[in-house]
Amino acid sequence: MTIEELVVKYLNDNLTGGIEAFAETPENPASKYVIIEKTSSGRVNYINSATIALQSYAPTMIDAIKLNEEVKAIMDNMAVLPEISKAAFERDYNFTDPNKKQYRYQA
């Protein structure tokens, strides 16, 4: 299983309120959803690492912020999986998508 598949599955197993995570934007997305994107990866001493961007979409800025906080809390615990040895938060910020005219936060 790829890291992208693992993150999508982990988020979908833990997100509340019927919110789903995807590796790409679905054709007809719900009003709130999460997109994951691997932005880089590496390997040192046979240990793989990856940087994952998590984009939380919602109809209002406050909802996007709240979803972002939920996603960060879920990801903080991802190291409970046997495939993951460490999960670390780097930063988050407003990443509103002007093309889709949707509020988005990225962590």
Side-chain angles (χ1 to χ4, degrees):
M1 182 177 289
T2 67
I3 188 63
E4 295 91 341
E5 292 170 313
L6 194 61
V7 171
V8 167
K9 180 179 182 336
Y10 183 72
L11 284 171
N12 284 333
D13 288 347
N14 290 280
L15 284 166
T16 61
I19 297 169
E20 292 183 273
F22 305 94
E24 58 186 319
T25 304
E27 195 169 307
N28 295 306
S31 64
K32 295 180 186 178
Y33 62 99
V34 177
I35 298 295
I36 74 105
E37 178 183 351
K38 182 170 71 173
T39 61
S40 66
S41 62
R43 182 177 307 154
V44 175
N45 294 328
Y46 305 99
I47 298 173
N48 294 328
S49 65
T51 301
I52 306 290
L54 303 156
Q55 299 171 356
S56 299
Y57 286 88
T60 70
M61 178 61 72
I62 293 298
D63 286 342
I65 291 167
K66 288 178 180 178
L67 179 54
N68 179 64
E69 291 300 318
E70 180 180 358
V71 167
K72 289 187 324 185
I74 290 168
M75 293 300 293
D76 281 344
N77 295 315
M78 193 167 179
V80 301
L81 298 177
E83 301 92 340
I84 304 296
S85 62
K86 176 184 174 185
F89 169 69
E90 289 185 16
R91 67 190 57 84
D92 64 348
Y93 48 90
N94 177 3
F95 197 50
T96 296
D97 187 340
N99 295 326
K100 292 181 183 177
K101 299 188 186 309
Q102 272 191 304
Y103 294 105
R104 171 175 67 176
Y105 240 73
Q106 181 165 297

